[in-house]
Amino acid sequence: AQSVTQLDSQVPVFEEAPVELRCNYSSSVSVYLFWYVQYPNQGLQLLLKYLSGSTLVESINGFEAEFNKSQTSFHLRKPSVHISDTAEYFCAVSDGGGSEKLVFGKGTKLTVNP
Amino acid sequence: KAGVTQTPRYLIKTRGQQVTLSCSPISGHRSVSWYQQTPGQGLQFLFEYFSETQRNKGNFPGRFSGRQFSNSRSEMNVSTLELGDSALYLCASSEKQGAAGYTFGSGTRLTVV
């Protein structure tokens, strides 16, 4: 069965600093990979996803993630964070075959301080 | 285009009661999946419905059930509520089966007292 490890449960950073949220998944033949963001008392919003093709995927608000098959990683990065990026971030994986569920990591709470 | 609508947003129930949660998918979406989110266990898959049929089921006891109607709206039911059922229940809809096209709703916060 698939599993996802988010190595950091909490990441505090200062505004305008770069950030990397780490995500590793268990090996599989093919996978779909996702990053979701959750603000307090809200549902999950998709940040970006890798289904196939280019291993570097980007979101409209400056986040990017790179699929690394050899290291089974899908780390999320942003070169300069804002206060409004404070939220919980979840990495998720599904087997890339069709009718598969998402398996989530435990989440990383990103706190951006002024 | 309206998003995924979950009702109610908040619910308080007593241990032993049963509860029904509702999810209205985005228009044209035929798949609805349900997830439970708790501080201890994180986000866990409950079940997926597509065209009124349960296509996939997570590892939850039989007290958790669901159904999907012909208009793709879905309900999940939890019977004989336990304190540990307190959670945020999220549903996600997509055009096709599977997680690639998910859009999540805002969730229903269930508190069991």
Side-chain angles (χ1 to χ4, degrees):
Chain A
Q2 280 285 1
S3 65
V4 177
T5 302
Q6 290 184 244
L7 295 161
D8 305 299
S9 59
Q10 298 192 49
V11 173
V13 294
F14 288 108
E15 195 173 17
E16 297 183 8
V19 71
E20 178 180 81
L21 306 184
R22 296 179 292 170
C23 172
N24 288 89
Y25 62 95
S26 55
S27 179
S28 181
V29 175
S30 66
V31 292
Y32 293 162
L33 294 157
F34 307 80
W35 276 99
Y36 286 89
V37 59
Q38 186 176 40
Y39 299 99
N41 297 317
Q42 293 191 25
L44 297 170
Q45 297 176 28
L46 178 68
L47 259 183
L48 44 77
K49 61 184 175 184
Y50 170 79
L51 304 182
S52 64
S54 173
T55 57
L56 183 66
V57 289
E58 299 175 350
S59 73
I60 57 172
N61 55 356
F63 284 95
E64 65 177 32
E66 186 158 19
F67 169 53
N68 188 319
K69 189 173 182 179
S70 62
Q71 297 187 7
T72 60
S73 68
F74 192 57
H75 302 330
L76 182 70
R77 301 184 183 94
K78 189 171 185 179
S80 176
V81 294
H82 303 289
I83 299 284
S84 59
D85 293 324
T86 295
E88 190 154 22
Y89 292 79
F90 292 92
C91 180
V93 63
S94 73
D95 289 325
S99 57
E100 289 75 27
K101 64 185 180 187
L102 281 177
V103 175
F104 285 90
K106 292 292 188 186
T108 298
K109 285 187 181 173
L110 174 66
T111 303
V112 181
N113 298 301
Chain B
K1 207 174 190 181
V4 179
T5 303
Q6 291 190 246
T7 55
R9 283 298 311 276
Y10 301 93
L11 205 49
I12 299 175
K13 288 287 189 179
T14 303
R15 194 169 44 180
Q17 287 186 314
Q18 74 165 13
V19 68
T20 299
L21 311 182
S22 178
C23 174
S24 293
I26 290 172
S27 177
H29 284 194
R30 295 165 62 193
S31 174
V32 174
S33 298
W34 289 88
Y35 288 80
Q36 181 197 63
Q37 185 178 22
T38 60
Q41 299 299 316
L43 283 149
Q44 295 184 287
F45 172 77
L46 280 156
F47 25 66
E48 178 186 18
Y49 287 87
F50 183 81
S51 294
E52 301 179 65
T53 302
Q54 188 179 91
R55 304 290 178 152
N56 205 350
K57 189 177 190 304
N59 189 24
F60 278 82
R63 301 185 297 107
F64 291 81
S65 63
R67 58 179 175 169
Q68 186 179 34
F69 302 95
S70 58
N71 61 358
S72 295
R73 190 178 70 85
S74 176
E75 290 181 347
M76 68 163 281
N77 184 277
V78 188
S79 62
T80 320
L81 283 165
E82 301 177 359
L83 296 178
D85 297 332
S86 295
L88 180 66
Y89 289 89
L90 293 165
C91 86
S93 77
S94 59
E95 286 185 56
K96 304 174 184 176
Q97 284 182 256
Y102 273 179
T103 300
F104 278 89
S106 297
T108 293
R109 171 79 60 186
L110 171 65
T111 302
V112 182
V113 298

